[in-house]
Amino acid sequence: QVQLVQSGAEVKKPGASVKVSCKASGYTFTSYDINWVRQATGQGLEWMGWMNPNSGNTGYAQKFQGRVTMTRNTSISTAYMELSSLRSEDTAVYYCARSSPPFDYWGQGTLVTVSS
Amino acid sequence: SYELTQPLSVSVALGQTARITCGGNNIGSKNVHWYQQKPGQAPVLVIYRDSNRPSGIPERFSGSNSGNTATLTISRAQAGDEADYYCQVWDSSTVGYVFGTGTKVTVL
């Protein structure tokens, strides 16, 4: 069965970077894009960007341009999302999601807390 | 940028029909997807490309899309349908996905 398993919760200081992983199983990793979506507590879903695991091509929401980097390691079927220059407003749960499209499978979410 | 507007909340009596709207400029020309999210859980796809149900989603969930409004309909609402619901489209002008503002559904 298709599964996306994300790395554990992180606590970071303002100005630092965080890298979240998303390990895929149950399907051919390079056949579907991986998207990243975040959700602050009590807020809605916010799309951050996509990555094609086959080519490595990426597309980022304008809001995150210059601060986010999405990469992958095809040998271990894992996608990564790195967000830099963290600020308190980046405190949120970060999800990876496979897109066929639409977003048919989601990871369990990773809580990233930014606090001094 | 493209915006999708949803009502903040919708209440429905047990066993009745709930309709959740998603408004956007000429949204009828786009493919709309709907997600259900329960507290503490990841979103789940309930309708894709306007009106298609993924396997495992009850027939009580249906969707439509025309003009400037897409609608998710939940028939014979059950207590287990209480959740937040989000619409989503791909916006070709910004080359990115857009989520609606989200609607909290309460079953009375």
Side-chain angles (χ1 to χ4, degrees):
Chain A
Q1 73 283 20
V2 174
Q3 278 193 307
L4 297 174
V5 178
Q6 299 182 221
S7 48
E10 303 262 14
V11 179
K12 296 293 182 181
K13 293 194 181 302
S17 297
V18 67
K19 191 170 186 177
V20 180
S21 68
C22 171
K23 183 171 177 60
S25 61
Y27 73 99
T28 302
F29 177 62
T30 51
S31 295
Y32 297 85
D33 289 353
I34 292 288
N35 287 256
W36 290 87
V37 176
R38 77 177 187 179
Q39 185 174 39
T41 302
Q43 302 301 307
L45 302 173
E46 182 174 32
W47 178 76
M48 299 179 69
W50 63 269
M51 181 194 64
N52 181 307
N54 185 46
S55 63
N57 289 345
T58 56
Y60 304 138
Q62 186 173 8
K63 175 177 180 177
F64 301 101
Q65 291 271 3
R67 267 208 318 144
V68 70
T69 305
M70 297 177 187
T71 58
R72 87 291 192 209
N73 183 333
T74 56
S75 67
I76 56 172
S77 299
T78 300
Y80 302 92
M81 185 283 299
E82 184 170 21
L83 188 63
S84 62
S85 302
L86 291 169
R87 33 208 188 231
S88 58
E89 311 89 87
D90 295 317
T91 294
V93 175
Y94 290 76
Y95 294 100
C96 61
R98 187 185 88 161
S99 59
S100 38
F103 296 3
D104 54 0
Y105 289 93
W106 295 65
Q108 82 277 19
T110 297
L111 174 62
V112 175
T113 303
V114 183
S115 174
S116 55
Chain B
S1 62
Y2 193 78
E3 294 183 353
L4 295 173
T5 303
Q6 299 180 233
L8 198 58
S9 63
V10 167
S11 297
V12 58
L14 187 68
Q16 297 305 301
T17 297
R19 293 180 178 83
I20 305 158
T21 58
C22 175
N25 184 36
N26 198 26
I27 194 174
S29 66
K30 302 179 183 296
N31 288 317
V32 179
H33 316 303
W34 290 92
Y35 301 88
Q36 174 194 69
Q37 186 181 34
K38 296 181 179 179
Q41 298 183 18
V44 172
L45 179 68
V46 293
I47 291 289
Y48 64 96
R49 291 200 294 274
D50 298 343
S51 59
N52 297 277
R53 274 178 296 104
S55 60
I57 300 300
E59 292 182 7
R60 302 183 297 102
F61 288 84
S62 62
S64 63
N65 184 20
S66 178
N68 293 318
T69 305
T71 303
L72 173 68
T73 301
I74 307 173
S75 304
R76 303 180 300 282
Q78 301 179 358
D81 298 333
E82 281 203 343
D84 294 326
Y85 291 83
Y86 296 90
C87 56
Q88 180 201 39
V89 301
W90 170 263
D91 178 30
S92 55
S93 64
T94 56
V95 196
Y97 286 100
V98 178
F99 284 100
T101 50
T103 299
K104 181 177 181 60
V105 170
T106 301
V107 179
L108 305 172

